[in-house]
């Protein structure tokens, strides 16, 4: 019998690996084709290009599955220059290994098809059936700033995360490399950087170097044991608008944490704590109206849980990916080693006045 989700995992990892070739090219270009979305957040030719390449691989391999992806083609339909720029990048992006490229299959046919594949990610999600969540560049602000970013892909089945893949081109390959605090900019994908984190439900979590060809061998990863809070630190967002940083400082103080938080963009935070390079990921709501998006958390949630962690919101509920495109029934995120999650949750609730 084959291992459950083996094919989904292989395709997801290869699709992320191929799309990372494109995002790395854009990362090194000064002009990244940035446009502003309706909510004033940025999107680049890298986001659109990576979304097109990953969805083309899913369309070919799993034609019946629904896809919930972050970007949509409306802005490309209105801007011929922008879509030609993206098409130029997409058509030239192939894995160096022909067998791996063959497995992905299909590809994007032409500019018209580019718009079509991007818009295949408009599913409303939900509690029934197979749904892929895709964030082609998670941490676009980090990507623009020269910080961390991630290509994030996950498979939900009936609302549960079954497969999670995070490609992090700017993180060290070495699982034991310490996280540096000055991590909000000046990151690179030089030699020794670029990693894919993956997990399948019930099968543990792995990391492997991001390659330009086929998949390299993976290693199992585990969260670090936190024996005393004084030696731990939080891993948090860079953008002050994405997580309440003054409340997290109070929580750290109450827990006896003295080290400064490691601020890092994107789901690279989940990957970093899953491999034991960081300890605890905290994301505290900044507004009552913002709803977290499922593509910002699905992959990271499974990778951390499969590495020995627990992930809940600030009310202690598991993240619910089955309610649509957002985590409408959750508020904030606490990801920590299972043994200390309860202790962190207690203090979070005390500071937020939730108990
Ligand atoms: N107001 C608000 N509150 C919370 N979260 C928000 C908010 N606005 C945006 N986002 C989402 O944050 C995603 C990036 O999260 P990060 O934790 O990496 O943020 S940060 O860049 O480190 O600050 C980012 O993902 P990308 O758009 O893929 O970059 C957004 O989806
Ligand atoms: Mg995101
Ligand atoms: Mg994104
Ligand atoms: Mg975005």
């Amino acid at each position: 019998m084959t291992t459950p989700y083996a094919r989904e995992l292989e395709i997801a990892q290869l699709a992320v690996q191929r799309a990372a070739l494109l995002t790395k090219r854009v990362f090194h270009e000064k002009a990244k084709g940035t446009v502003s979305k309706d909510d004033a957040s940025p999107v680049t030719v890298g986001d659109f290009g990576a979304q097109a390449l990953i969805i083309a691989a899913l369309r070919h391999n799993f034609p019946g599955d629904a896809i919930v992806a972050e970007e949509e083609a409306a802005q490309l339909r209105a801007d011929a220059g922008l879509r030609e720029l993206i098409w130029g990048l997409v058509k030239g992006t192939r894995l160096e290994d022909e067998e791996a490229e063959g497995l992905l299959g299909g590809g994007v046919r032409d500019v018209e098809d580019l718009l079509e594949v991007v818009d295949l990610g408009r599913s409303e999600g939900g509690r029934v059936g197979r749904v892929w969540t895709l964030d082609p560049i998670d941490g676009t602000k980090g990507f623009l700033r020269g910080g961390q970013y991630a290509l994030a892909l996950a498979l939900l089945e009936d609302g549960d995360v079954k497969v999670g893949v995070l490609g992090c081109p700017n993180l060290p390959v070495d699982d034991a490399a310490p996280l540096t605090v000055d991590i909000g900019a000046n990151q690179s994908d030089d030699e020794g950087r670029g990693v894919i984190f993956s997990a399948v439900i019930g099968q543990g979590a792995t990391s492997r170097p991001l390659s330009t060809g086929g998949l390299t061998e993976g290693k199992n990863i585990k969260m670090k044991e936190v024996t005393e809070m004084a030696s731990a630190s939080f891993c948090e967002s860079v953008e002050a608008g994405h997580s309440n940083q003054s409340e997290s400082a109070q929580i750290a103080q109450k827990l006896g944490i003295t080290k400064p938080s490691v601020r890092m963009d994107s789901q690279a935070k989940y990957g970093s704590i899953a491999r034991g390079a960081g300890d605890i990921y905290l994301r505290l709501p900044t507004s009552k109206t913002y709803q977290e998006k499922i593509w910002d958390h699905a992959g990271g949630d499974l990778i951390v849980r499969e590495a020995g962690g627990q992930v809940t919101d600030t009310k202690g509920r598991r993240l619910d990916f089955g309610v649509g495109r957002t985590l409408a029934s959750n508020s904030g995120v606490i990801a920590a080693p299972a043994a200390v999650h309860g202790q962190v949750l207690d203090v979070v609730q005390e500071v937020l006045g939730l108990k």
Side-chain angles (χ1 to χ4, degrees), residues 70-71 135 137-138 140:
E70 180 180 0
E71 312 303 345
D135 192 340
I137 293 184
D138 180 32
T140 305

Side-chain angles (χ1 to χ4, degrees), residues 37 39 41-43 47 70-71 135 137 139-140 295-296:
K37 300 204 278 189
D39 63 0
S41 69
V43 58
D47 302 62
E70 180 180 0
E71 312 303 345
D135 192 340
I137 293 184
T140 305
W295 55 78
D296 281 329

Side-chain angles (χ1 to χ4, degrees), residues 173-337:
V173 169
D174 181 5
D175 291 327
L179 295 183
T180 54
V181 175
D182 177 27
I183 206 152
N186 307 317
Q187 298 302 301
S188 73
D189 50 20
D190 301 347
E191 192 62 31
R193 286 179 184 259
V195 58
I196 304 189
F197 300 105
S198 315
V200 173
I201 187 104
Q203 295 175 29
T206 58
S207 82
R208 71 188 71 229
L210 194 60
S211 100
T212 53
L215 292 177
T216 56
E217 205 177 322
K219 281 199 242 103
N220 288 327
I221 53 170
K222 278 265 159 266
M223 293 192 82
K224 189 159 63 188
E225 237 179 278
V226 175
T227 42
E228 45 179 340
M229 280 294 172
S231 59
S233 62
F234 287 148
C235 210
E236 294 184 83
S237 287
V238 174
E239 299 291 324
H242 292 182
S243 183
N244 190 316
Q245 298 181 353
S246 67
E247 282 170 348
S248 74
Q250 290 174 53
I251 293 161
Q253 199 189 14
K254 277 192 191 285
L255 281 167
I257 291 176
T258 52
K259 289 189 194 164
S261 292
V262 177
R263 300 205 184 280
M264 184 189 288
D265 303 277
S266 85
Q267 285 175 77
K269 292 187 273 299
Y270 282 108
S272 295
I273 66 164
R275 65 166 156 180
D279 301 299
I280 296 162
Y281 170 16
L282 208 57
R283 191 174 184 89
L284 303 173
T286 50
S287 80
K288 288 219 159 37
T289 50
Y290 182 79
Q291 292 181 345
E292 298 287 346
K293 309 296 190 284
I294 59 173
W295 55 78
D296 281 329
H297 300 281
D301 171 84
L302 183 68
I303 289 165
V304 164
R305 288 189 291 112
E306 286 295 325
Q310 197 163 331
V311 185
T312 69
D313 70 359
T314 55
K315 297 187 178 156
R317 301 169 299 204
R318 282 275 303 275
L319 303 186
D320 185 355
F321 295 98
V323 289
R325 290 176 64 91
T326 69
L327 291 171
S329 352
N330 293 110
S331 166
V333 179
I334 304 166

